[in-house]
Amino acid sequence: MDAALDTVSRNRLRWKCRRGLLELDLVLERYLKKNPDDASLAPLLELPDNDLWDIIAGRSDEYDRRFEETVVRLRAVTLAPLYRAA
């Protein structure tokens, strides 16, 4: 992970995480709660929603291997239950 992002960069990253697919919104929101300063996420956010979801969901391995660590962390968030029983 890179050095901590400044407030403006962190806010830009959060804005880019707002997607058209609810599934992506949920996963990216959870991811940023655990990794708020992960600038390595930004290049992946340039992908179209469906391509990004296929990568995160594990249906596709067609991405730049420089982002392997980030993809592994994203997939771990995806596998965690989205809702906890009360």
Side-chain angles (χ1 to χ4, degrees), residues 20-82:
L21 290 175
L22 177 61
E23 295 88 346
L24 279 176
D25 281 344
L26 295 173
V27 169
L28 293 173
E29 180 182 334
R30 290 179 70 191
Y31 181 83
L32 284 180
K33 284 182 182 178
K34 293 184 177 189
N35 307 284
D37 294 324
D38 189 357
S40 68
L41 180 62
L44 289 171
L45 296 174
E46 299 301 322
L47 294 170
D49 285 356
N50 290 325
D51 293 345
L52 181 56
W53 179 245
D54 285 346
I55 290 167
I56 292 173
R59 292 189 297 238
S60 173
D61 286 325
E62 295 183 24
Y63 58 89
D64 190 326
R65 293 298 163 196
R66 293 179 295 164
F67 306 115
E68 182 75 29
E69 186 177 325
T70 303
V71 169
V72 167
R73 288 194 308 266
L74 282 163
R75 287 178 176 173
V77 168
T78 304
L79 295 174
L82 291 176

